[in-house]
Amino acid sequence: MNVRTQVIILLVVGIILISGGLVFMSMFPSIFEKMLTKKLILAPGTETMDSFTSPPIPIYMQFYMFNLTNKDDVVNTGAKPNLQQLGPYTYEEGRLKHDFKWNDDLGIITYRQNKSFYFREDLSEGNLETDKITTINAVMISLASKLSTLPDFAHGIGQIFLKRFNVNPFITRTVGELLFAGYKEPLLKQLGAITKDPVMKTGKFGFFYPKNNTNDGTYTVYTGARGMENYMNIYSWHGQKEVEFWKEDRCNMINGTEGSQFPPPLLRENNVVLFTAELCRSIYATYEKDVQHGPLTLYRYVLPDELLAESDENKCYCPDDFSCRAGMMNIGPCKDGKPVIMSTPHFYQGNIEDARLLIGIEPNKEEHQTYLDLEPNTGVVFRAAKRLQVNMPLRRYADLPALKNVPELIYPILWVNESAVVPLDRSENLHQKLTKPKFVVKVACWGLVALGALLILIGIVRCILNICSNGGDKVQGVNNRKENYDAKDNGVTNYLLLHCYCGQNTANTS
């Protein structure tokens, strides 16, 4: 095979390798995305549907209770409340979606989700449901808040009720009673007979009673069958596409997912949006940083300060001036007017002045920040900590004697850390199926490009060397001819010189 043929083969093969590597590298993401989409779509009988129906990883609710240690001083002299944080009281959360209804034309699925809570003493660091906590009397504060909106003559009726049932601003109950089990409250049963409210009629109260093994209504979400841009986003809640609790339409919009998964792929510059029934509104989280979970690189999203800031943007969520504070949200409009204020734990991201009105409130980012660690290719939550605090406004409502000396402030009751972590073996499994193949393909494609470039370079060098070799042969030939010519020239010259010399000698001899 001559040199010219060798060079042509090297150049052609090199170009083919480079072109093939670049083309496959550009086409692979779309091929891979189609394969991944097919796996993610919610459809009957799929692995994704099984995980959607009941999460395969444990979810925990860690409750931290604020125990008031100077109740009498707060009630009688308006002293600063001294709060002792107790906990965690850990409950394992079970979730089960049911009553599925499919709409293939719209690509949506409707369901209900029951939540059950089981106390985990082994994860509660020695804390028990029987521990006693002194906290604010939510029944009294709710009634007092309602009375403050009624005419003055109703205040006297309210005082009679409170005195008859010996209701005080603070109560002492067990953790189990305050959370899910509930405790007997005769005043509540009496009010239930008037309001016909089924929960009141039980005569029991608990901050999460009777939430155990119940659902918060019907959800309808996109399955991804008609495109992944709205994957898992909420289509409607309670059959409605917006809520009716807030002052402006923009604040009533239901946007985002329910929080366990988001439309892929995720980009760092974009926010993730979710609807949370606890706040009766949609919220968003912003990218903070990359974090590692085993072999996977996750995007961490956190709630920004401006989300619950005291701003014009949030005025439509503000039912009264007293509770409109940074880091807080009065959810009374969606809780039948009950004065419940949600905030970040220890008023983290709030005003430091609110924390200074209480002893024992010490906000810090590590313990009190809400975050979501998301796998960017699938949008799945691999690690999360949703941290919320339940508060009530402590005020001198309706000139009630029992409240006439109390300090006016936002009173913390408890905060909860709802957390979940995907086990590392599942992370390794996803890495083997998802991120590793992408890496291998990328390396292989660049390897082909590099090999093609090397072959082209070899061809070019081979061509140059061949040209130089041929050029050397021509120069050598010229030199040889020149030497021959010189030799011939010298021979002629020598002959002439010899002839002349010999001729002269002959003449002289004669």
Side-chain angles (χ1 to χ4, degrees):
M1 186 182 297
N2 59 42
V3 174
R4 180 182 178 186
T5 303
Q6 293 176 9
V7 170
I8 291 175
I9 292 174
L10 288 171
L11 293 178
V12 171
V13 173
I15 292 172
I16 291 174
L17 289 177
I18 292 175
S19 301
L22 293 176
V23 169
F24 189 75
M25 189 160 45
S26 64
M27 292 177 59
F28 180 74
S30 61
I31 297 172
F32 185 82
E33 185 177 340
K34 289 180 181 179
M35 296 170 59
L36 182 60
T37 296
K38 189 175 180 180
K39 291 282 291 182
L40 290 177
I41 290 175
L42 286 179
T46 63
E47 185 179 343
T48 302
M49 188 62 193
D50 291 340
S51 298
F52 178 74
T53 301
S54 181
I57 61 173
I59 303 171
Y60 297 106
M61 300 275 283
Q62 292 178 302
F63 291 92
Y64 295 85
M65 313 293 295
F66 290 109
N67 181 50
L68 179 64
T69 63
N70 60 337
K71 175 184 68 173
D72 293 338
D73 292 338
V74 173
V75 174
N76 297 326
T77 66
K80 183 182 293 188
N82 187 0
L83 302 177
Q84 174 191 21
Q85 178 177 289
L86 300 178
Y89 299 92
T90 304
Y91 291 76
E92 185 171 349
E93 179 182 336
R95 296 184 179 183
L96 180 64
K97 297 181 178 70
H98 57 96
D99 291 347
F100 296 114
K101 295 180 177 63
W102 300 84
N103 185 322
D104 295 332
D105 293 334
L106 296 177
I108 56 178
I109 180 175
T110 301
Y111 64 90
R112 292 178 180 269
Q113 178 173 248
N114 274 32
K115 294 183 179 181
S116 302
F117 303 91
Y118 311 92
F119 183 64
R120 291 288 301 269
E121 183 178 337
D122 58 316
L123 300 177
S124 298
E125 301 180 12
N127 300 297
L128 303 174
E129 283 187 301
T130 54
D131 292 349
K132 291 191 174 182
I133 303 292
T134 298
T135 187
I136 198 168
N137 189 337
V139 175
M140 177 185 180
I141 297 302
S142 296
L143 178 60
S145 174
K146 186 67 175 177
L147 286 173
S148 66
T149 64
L150 301 177
D152 291 343
F153 73 85
H155 298 177
I157 299 174
Q159 291 182 28
I160 293 173
F161 262 90
L162 295 175
K163 188 172 182 179
R164 174 186 171 188
F165 291 97
N166 193 27
V167 178
N168 296 303
F170 296 95
I171 57 172
T172 301
R173 297 288 187 273
T174 68
V175 170
E177 290 174 329
L178 289 171
L179 294 179
F180 296 102
Y183 61 88
K184 292 183 179 180
E185 180 56 78
L187 173 59
L188 198 62
K189 190 171 185 177
Q190 185 68 43
L191 292 173
I194 300 172
T195 63
K196 307 301 181 183
D197 184 288
V199 177
M200 285 187 178
K201 290 171 70 174
T202 65
K204 296 181 72 174
F205 175 80
F207 292 109
F208 297 90
Y209 171 84
K211 298 295 184 183
N212 209 339
N213 197 30
T214 62
N215 63 80
D216 59 356
T218 58
Y219 285 83
T220 301
V221 302
Y222 289 96
T223 64
R226 292 292 179 267
M228 296 298 287
E229 62 276 2
N230 289 321
Y231 181 61
M232 288 292 186
N233 278 348
I234 297 174
Y235 178 83
S236 66
W237 181 54
H238 288 290
Q240 303 294 323
K241 293 188 177 182
E242 60 182 31
V243 297
E244 300 177 348
F245 306 125
W246 312 113
K247 299 176 182 178
E248 298 178 23
D249 290 341
R250 64 181 178 86
C251 292
N252 285 315
M253 296 176 64
I254 298 176
N255 298 319
T257 75
E258 50 81 35
S260 61
Q261 190 162 1
F262 297 87
L266 301 178
L267 302 177
R268 293 179 179 89
E269 59 268 25
N270 294 341
N271 297 334
V272 295
V273 183
L274 61 151
F275 176 79
T276 170
E278 293 90 345
L279 298 178
C280 306
R281 61 167 286 191
S282 291
I283 61 175
Y284 64 93
T286 58
Y287 169 82
E288 183 187 48
K289 60 182 179 180
D290 285 7
V291 295
Q292 289 299 127
H293 187 59
L296 293 179
T297 298
L298 309 178
Y299 293 175
R300 172 160 292 184
Y301 290 83
V302 299
L303 303 184
D305 292 343
E306 59 267 21
L307 179 68
L308 297 177
E310 196 174 356
S311 63
D312 291 339
E313 185 70 18
N314 290 324
K315 277 187 176 180
C316 58
Y317 297 113
C318 183
D320 65 71
D321 294 334
F322 184 79
S323 61
C324 291
R325 309 181 185 209
M328 303 184 191
M329 182 177 175
N330 189 328
I331 61 171
C334 70
K335 299 298 179 183
D336 298 322
K338 298 179 181 67
V340 179
I341 298 173
M342 305 299 288
S343 73
T344 48
H346 285 248
F347 302 135
Y348 169 70
Q349 295 178 298
N351 292 326
I352 190 63
E353 290 77 12
D354 292 315
R356 288 173 177 167
L357 295 175
L358 303 133
I359 300 172
I361 299 299
E362 300 174 353
N364 69 80
K365 177 179 179 179
E366 183 179 352
E367 294 182 11
H368 304 141
Q369 182 187 53
T370 290
Y371 66 84
L372 300 169
D373 290 345
L374 310 179
E375 201 290 309
N377 296 289
T378 61
V380 173
V381 178
F382 265 67
R383 185 168 48 205
K386 185 171 72 175
R387 293 158 174 166
L388 291 173
Q389 183 168 293
V390 180
N391 315 272
M392 295 192 83
L394 180 61
R395 304 187 67 184
R396 299 166 191 149
Y397 288 113
D399 298 323
L400 296 176
L403 297 173
K404 68 178 181 179
N405 293 322
V406 298
E408 294 199 313
L409 46 79
I410 304 301
Y411 186 90
I413 298 169
L414 60 90
W415 69 273
V416 59
N417 176 28
E418 184 178 18
S419 62
V421 179
V422 173
L424 288 177
D425 60 337
R426 287 180 174 268
S427 297
E428 179 64 36
N429 185 43
L430 183 65
H431 172 67
Q432 294 294 332
K433 295 180 178 179
L434 181 67
T435 56
K436 190 174 182 178
K438 293 178 69 175
F439 175 77
V440 170
V441 168
K442 186 175 182 180
V443 170
C445 288
W446 280 116
L448 291 176
V449 171
L451 179 59
L454 179 62
L455 293 178
I456 292 175
L457 180 61
I458 291 173
I460 293 173
V461 171
R462 186 77 179 85
C463 181
I464 292 173
L465 291 176
N466 183 63
I467 292 173
C468 291
S469 176
N470 291 336
D473 292 343
K474 290 179 180 180
V475 171
Q476 185 63 36
V478 170
N479 291 334
N480 291 338
R481 287 194 297 273
K482 184 175 184 299
E483 289 175 357
N484 293 335
Y485 175 79
D486 290 343
K488 290 180 180 179
D489 183 64
N490 289 336
V492 171
T493 303
N494 289 335
Y495 171 78
L496 292 174
L497 288 173
L498 180 62
H499 178 74
C500 293
Y501 177 74
C502 292
Q504 289 177 354
N505 287 340
T506 302
N508 289 337
T509 302
S510 302

